[in-house]
Amino acid sequence: MRCLSSMGKALLLLGTVPFAAAAPWHSRLHARADNSTTAAPMYSLSSDSAFAFQLEVILSLANGGGVSPGEVLRAASQIKPGEFESFYSEFKFLADQMHDIGAHINAEKYPVSAREAFFRAASYYRAADFYIHGNPDDPRIQTIWHSQLSDFDAALHLLPVPGERYTIKGDGFDIPIIFYKSNAANHTRVPTVVAGSGYDGTQEDIYHGIGKEIVDRGYNLVTYEGPGQPTVRREQNIGFIPDWWNVVTPVVDYLMTRSDVDTDRLALLGLSFGGTLAPRAASKEHRFSAVLAIDGLWNLQQSIENALPTALVELFTSGNVTAFDTTMKALRVNPRVPTELRWLIDQGMWSFNTTSPYDWFQRLGQINLNGTLEDIDVPMFIGEGQNDNSTAGQPQIVVDELKKLGKNYTYHQFKTNVGAGEHCQVGAEAQLAQVTMDWLAQVFENKMTSAQ
Ligand SMILES: *[C@@H]1O[C@H](CO)[C@@H](O)[C@H](O)[C@H]1NC(C)=O
Ligand SMILES: *[C@@H]1O[C@H](CO)[C@@H](O)[C@H](O)[C@H]1NC(C)=O
Ligand SMILES: *[C@@H]1O[C@H](CO)[C@@H](O)[C@H](O)[C@H]1NC(C)=O
Ligand SMILES: *[C@@H]1O[C@H](CO)[C@@H](O)[C@H](O)[C@H]1NC(C)=O
Ligand SMILES: *[C@@H]1O[C@H](CO)[C@@H](O)[C@H](O)[C@H]1NC(C)=O
Ligand SMILES: *[C@@H]1O[C@H](CO)[C@@H](O)[C@H](O)[C@H]1NC(C)=O
Ligand SMILES: *[C@@H]1O[C@H](CO)[C@@H](O)[C@H](O)[C@H]1NC(C)=O
């Protein structure tokens, strides 16, 4: 699972700094980093706070066999803070090593060893890809993805119940999905969780994060990607779209055709920006029995605006496209600007398939939850990380709206003192799964009781 980076953590400190003054940003960030051993809620693997968070995300894949902690800690020790190419090359090195190990294993004889090596190789290829989207024509964006897809698929075939890849026809685009059939689903229909990620996450990451936890509980798991998300963006050149139900509905249509899916017990789960995308989809796609937002996210654009320097927000609001584009393009190539902001702009333009920062930010604002929750009439789960400052206050806005509308929802704050306070509970997947999946089991059980 990859989530929106913890941009807010650093940028909140910069709110009063004029955006033209790059140097103070730099020194302030490092001042904070120097204090991090006493003040930070989590141990930092890099003095660059964005890298530190991303390394935490990568490390968290260990939960479902996606990485080995020692391998990640080694890479972390070699990565130069703030240098995107360094992040790329350390993980590319690790990925190639793991790929070689996998490729030399006789997979028929040693399927577990081969599977583990290929899963880790794929994770490290994805990690290497994370900071290279600044130049959309960089050929590595495609080549590294072929490597990750092919190694992930090699591992997928070696699971005790092999994962199944399908391409579902959407309206104007194709939707790649992976179906992980539950062990319990041999001769019967079982509840099924449809899980999607957000602004930068991949469906492959989901398996190692909450995905394996879902399958372990006897449910089928379906992961999917829509426009703007890694594989669709690469293969079909399409950026994010607001009508997310057009991504999810074809997936549900497909599930209706399977004999191993209990179509009365379907749940939709969204991670990070998926905390907006999933409820948006569920507002028009009514065949789910439950919707989970990990975490609650009312409006990502608004959340970013709260963290940006005021002058930059005013420039956007003024509607001067040329001036906003020029300023943002200068910021993204300025190494003194915090990694959080540089990455956010790079990833935003890439994932919205645009060359204009203004176009990105304006379209991002159209994807929010205002006016959608009215149309969801099934129990909702809204999560929040206690020290998630990247989307500070957002889950509360969702909860306030649900309360106002008289909806059936459960809110849960995951705590910092037990390591679950990060964005999307990164690194505390067992706690996330325990709380969300036990809640879901109860919702499914109630549904069966009330149907009798
Ligand atoms: C560390 O934090 C303390 C208390 O918040 C502050 O006074 C000090 O200046 C900080 N040190 C650095 C190097 O930023
Ligand atoms: C379903 O099939 C798998 C693979 O053949 C087997 O390992 C598992 O025990 C079966 N589960 C049930 C509930 O029969
Ligand atoms: C994505 O951007 C490319 C390059 O600008 C363009 O050719 C393509 O048509 C865009 N895709 C969509 C769906 O707009
Ligand atoms: C937009 O900003 C540019 C550069 O700051 C400026 O030259 C131009 O006059 C502005 N346009 C409008 C319509 O305000
Ligand atoms: C939702 O949109 C309406 C109309 O634009 C606005 O008045 C309202 O404040 C918005 N709600 C929230 C919680 O932002
Ligand atoms: C995050 O925000 C909370 C209050 O919302 C604050 O107590 C905490 O210190 C912040 N954490 C970081 C790392 O900035
Ligand atoms: C809300 O949903 C939960 C889970 O299904 C259920 O236990 C509860 O009774 C519902 N509450 C209301 C007020 O409908």
Side-chain angles (χ1 to χ4, degrees):
M1 172 179 60
R2 276 204 192 121
C3 303
L4 177 72
S5 195
S6 61
M7 172 216 42
K9 282 188 192 169
L11 289 189
L12 278 173
L13 296 166
L14 308 167
T16 55
V17 180
F19 63 86
W25 290 23
H26 187 62
S27 52
R28 282 211 189 191
L29 272 179
H30 285 278
R32 184 177 162 261
D34 291 345
N35 255 350
S36 60
T37 46
T38 50
M42 301 293 273
Y43 190 84
S44 284
L45 293 177
S46 172
S47 62
D48 180 302
S49 53
F51 278 17
F53 179 75
Q54 199 51 34
L55 288 163
E56 225 183 282
V57 171
I58 295 162
L59 192 57
S60 78
L61 302 180
N63 186 60
V67 302
S68 265
E71 293 161 6
V72 177
L73 293 176
R74 168 61 189 174
S77 78
Q78 300 301 299
I79 290 172
K80 297 192 179 63
E83 289 187 21
F84 290 8
E85 281 303 320
S86 164
F87 205 97
Y88 167 82
S89 53
E90 292 307 328
F91 278 111
K92 174 69 162 53
F93 169 79
L94 209 46
D96 286 341
Q97 302 302 306
M98 295 310 134
H99 173 84
D100 279 353
I101 292 174
H104 284 98
I105 295 173
N106 176 340
E108 268 176 36
K109 219 168 156 187
Y110 310 112
V112 176
S113 298
R115 182 181 76 217
E116 291 186 345
F118 282 128
F119 267 145
R120 290 185 349 272
S123 297
Y124 300 139
Y125 284 126
R126 295 195 300 278
D129 167 78
F130 196 75
Y131 285 107
I132 61 168
H133 296 176
N135 169 13
D137 298 324
D138 187 334
R140 296 175 304 177
I141 294 177
Q142 299 294 344
T143 54
I144 208 150
W145 215 249
H146 294 148
S147 301
Q148 92 85 9
L149 286 175
S150 102
D151 282 359
F152 192 86
D153 286 356
L156 212 51
H157 290 127
L158 295 167
L159 281 170
V161 182
E164 309 163 28
R165 263 197 200 269
Y166 298 103
T167 303
I168 311 285
K169 276 266 163 258
D171 184 11
F173 49 84
D174 290 341
I175 306 150
I177 71 164
I178 306 176
F179 190 96
Y180 300 87
K181 187 185 171 94
S182 160
N183 241 338
N186 291 351
H187 307 292
T188 177
R189 295 174 179 271
V190 300
T192 300
V193 178
V194 178
S197 65
Y199 195 66
D200 53 288
T202 69
Q203 63 169 336
E204 289 80 12
D205 282 341
I206 294 175
Y207 175 71
H208 302 301
I210 186 128
K212 192 168 169 297
E213 298 276 358
I214 292 171
V215 178
D216 284 350
R217 283 162 170 81
Y219 301 147
N220 297 314
L221 165 70
V222 185
T223 60
Y224 74 93
E225 284 179 14
Q229 294 182 322
T231 300
V232 179
R233 169 62 186 81
R234 279 179 178 80
E235 294 178 353
Q236 303 172 51
N237 262 323
I238 314 178
F240 275 110
I241 55 171
D243 47 332
W244 205 251
W245 45 90
N246 286 330
V247 184
V248 169
T249 287
V251 176
V252 179
D253 288 343
Y254 165 71
L255 295 180
M256 293 291 153
T257 69
R258 290 189 64 119
S259 60
D260 48 7
V261 171
D262 177 350
T263 52
D264 288 328
R265 289 187 293 169
L266 297 178
L268 181 64
L269 181 150
L271 295 158
S272 194
F273 186 37
T276 296
L277 298 174
R280 274 188 75 83
S283 72
K284 293 235 174 9
E285 169 50 70
H286 298 296
R287 287 172 287 182
F288 292 104
S289 305
V291 178
L292 299 94
I294 315 297
D295 293 321
L297 182 58
W298 177 256
N299 183 334
L300 180 58
Q301 184 206 48
Q302 182 187 82
S303 162
I304 293 172
E305 283 183 348
N306 291 341
L308 286 176
T310 316
L312 209 48
V313 178
E314 282 169 2
L315 191 57
F316 173 70
T317 319
S318 80
N320 190 328
V321 178
T322 318
F324 186 76
D325 282 355
T326 308
T327 306
M328 293 294 262
K329 283 180 179 171
L331 290 175
R332 69 195 276 251
V333 294
N334 182 344
R336 293 152 86 92
V337 168
T339 301
E340 281 87 351
L341 182 56
R342 285 158 58 208
W343 172 82
L344 189 77
I345 304 170
D346 282 356
Q347 179 66 18
M349 287 167 63
W350 186 77
S351 64
F352 279 75
N353 193 42
T354 182
T355 52
S356 159
Y358 187 92
D359 180 46
W360 152 60
F361 204 55
Q362 194 252 339
R363 281 163 57 203
L364 177 64
Q366 294 164 1
I367 308 179
N368 65 66
L369 290 184
N370 200 338
T372 61
L373 299 176
E374 288 82 343
D375 298 323
I376 301 178
D377 285 318
V378 295
M380 284 193 71
F381 181 95
I382 308 297
E384 173 166 37
Q386 192 180 10
N387 64 278
D388 177 10
N389 290 12
S390 66
T391 55
Q394 289 287 312
Q396 198 53 52
I397 302 175
V398 178
V399 163
D400 288 347
E401 284 296 308
L402 289 170
K403 190 183 288 177
K404 204 161 37 173
L405 294 166
K407 298 291 179 181
N408 188 342
Y409 69 91
T410 298
Y411 162 79
H412 186 92
Q413 190 191 58
F414 292 88
K415 301 296 181 198
T416 301
N417 66 355
V418 285
E422 292 287 82
H423 183 60
C424 303
Q425 292 72 59
V426 161
E429 283 67 31
Q431 290 183 53
L432 173 65
Q434 177 255 314
V435 173
T436 56
M437 291 302 117
D438 294 0
W439 173 85
L440 183 60
Q442 191 59 52
V443 173
F444 284 153
E445 198 181 304
N446 292 349
K447 191 166 156 86
M448 294 323 276
T449 319
S450 64
Q452 275 162 13

